Amino acid sequence: MSERIAVCPGSFDPVTLGHLDIFRRTADIFDRVIVLVMQNAQKRALFTPEQRRDIILASLNGAPGISVVCSSGICADAARELGACAIVKGVRSSADFDYETDIAAVNRGLGAPETVFIPSNPIYRHVSTSTALHLYRLGTDVTSYFPSAAIDALNRLESASSR
């Protein structure tokens, strides 16, 4: 039987605890998970793709069966090239589901493997990168939103920009 590979694409700028939960739960289902760090052209990135990859790797702390790669291309192409049998996306709400269903249809039309949706763990349902970043900028404790590697990277970024 061939290895069942799933890709989890996203911008992850930076990764949240909700993302990490989806990666780990995906690893319970598939033989191998490849987190695909992509660039969202509609967003101004805080971190380079390589920095985001490094934050995710540090946050996963050697979790078995999960690797992280950067891609500047189209998700459908990357998924095929990586030998994925599925694209996995976490969904927090019906709005996420509707949005991701449209993206899945586009990916399918581009020859991508099937998209599988995993509902978010209820403890992370409220966690979004944009909300967590807003709270961080207000000086709020965001340890229930971001892993420590992401908070450290945000602190370094803030420190560098205040010089």
Side-chain angles (χ1 to χ4, degrees):
M1 183 178 231
S2 64
E3 183 178 47
R4 296 179 44 83
I5 301 169
V7 295
C8 292
S11 54
F12 312 118
D13 192 33
V15 69
T16 67
L17 294 174
H19 292 133
L20 294 172
D21 182 65
I22 294 294
F23 304 157
R24 289 185 177 110
R25 289 168 58 206
T26 301
D28 289 341
I29 300 167
F30 293 88
D31 299 318
R32 191 158 58 108
V33 176
I34 302 171
V35 177
L36 193 58
V37 177
M38 308 199 70
Q39 186 63 44
N40 184 335
Q42 298 172 341
K43 295 180 185 176
R44 185 175 173 270
L46 291 174
F47 298 101
T48 67
E50 294 76 20
Q51 288 170 319
R52 288 181 267 148
R53 177 199 59 217
D54 293 347
I55 293 167
I56 295 167
L57 286 169
S59 301
L60 287 169
N61 199 24
I66 306 174
S67 59
V68 186
V69 299
C70 299
S71 176
S72 60
I74 295 172
C75 178
D77 294 340
R80 272 194 324 275
E81 290 166 12
L82 293 167
C85 67
I87 295 172
V88 175
K89 297 294 290 189
V91 291
R92 295 169 295 160
S93 64
S94 58
D96 278 0
F97 181 79
D98 290 344
Y99 174 78
E100 294 296 348
T101 299
D102 290 345
I103 300 299
V106 170
N107 281 331
R108 196 74 175 140
L110 294 171
E114 197 62 57
T115 298
V116 175
F117 300 112
I118 296 181
S120 68
N121 183 321
I123 65 171
Y124 300 120
R125 189 167 192 272
H126 68 287
V127 176
S128 73
T129 303
S130 57
T131 299
L133 285 172
H134 178 72
L135 292 172
Y136 172 83
R137 289 177 180 129
L138 293 173
T140 304
D141 176 13
V142 290
T143 55
S144 63
Y145 292 84
F146 290 125
S148 59
I151 295 170
D152 292 346
L154 287 165
N155 289 339
R156 284 191 303 275
L157 187 66
E158 186 176 276
S159 177
S161 68
S162 65
R163 289 184 204 163

